[in-house]
């Protein structure tokens, strides 16, 4: 799902996308003149390999995400500390954002039930 950066205003725009066994739903809302706030949940099942035995297992996700989107390179003149995702070509690609969040989650350490003992 793609949304033009300039289509997001001060009224929250809801979104809801699914990928495999995951659901990514939330809102996009203008945060400041140059930033949009994305607030969402990622829920469902994700198949990941155990870091010990490499066997695939299902991990239940119920993760909240919140960050800001910038149209291009973000320049902060006020030294605010925001989690910023820089968007290219003025298009917010929610599928790409979900893929990035999944890869970030997969980069953590995971151990299946068999290897926990």
């Amino acid at each position: 799902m793609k949304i033009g950066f300039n289509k997001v205003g001060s009224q929250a725009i809801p979104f809801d996308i699914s990928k495999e066994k995951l659901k990514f739903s939330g809102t996009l809302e203008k945060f400041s003149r140059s930033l949009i706030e994305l607030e969402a949940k990622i829920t469902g099942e994700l198949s990941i390999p155990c870091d010990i035995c490499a066997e695939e297992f299902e991990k239940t996700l119920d993760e909240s995400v919140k960050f800001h989107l910038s149209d291009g390179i973000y320049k902060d003149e006020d030294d605010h500390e925001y989690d910023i995702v820089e968007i290219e070509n003025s298009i917010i690609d929610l599928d790409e954002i979900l893929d990035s969040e999944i890869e970030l989650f997969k980069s953590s350490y995971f151990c299946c039930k068999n290897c926990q003992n």
Side-chain angles (χ1 to χ4, degrees), residues 20-57:
E20 297 171 17
K21 297 178 185 176
L22 293 175
K23 182 177 179 180
F24 184 42
S25 57
T27 58
L28 294 166
E29 184 174 358
K30 191 81 150 180
F31 179 75
S32 69
R33 185 174 55 83
S34 61
L35 295 175
I36 291 173
E37 183 174 84
L38 180 145
E39 190 168 359
K41 293 217 33 134
I42 302 171
T43 57
E45 299 289 324
L46 179 63
S47 182
I48 54 174
C50 172
D51 286 323
I52 296 174
C53 70
E55 290 293 320
E56 292 278 327
F57 70 100

Side-chain angles (χ1 to χ4, degrees), residues 1-2 35 41 43 45 52 56 58 61 73 76 85 101:
M1 172 184 242
K2 295 181 181 183
L35 295 175
K41 293 217 33 134
T43 57
E45 299 289 324
I52 296 174
E56 292 278 327
E58 295 289 313
L61 293 183
I73 296 172
D76 182 18
V85 174
E101 289 297 311

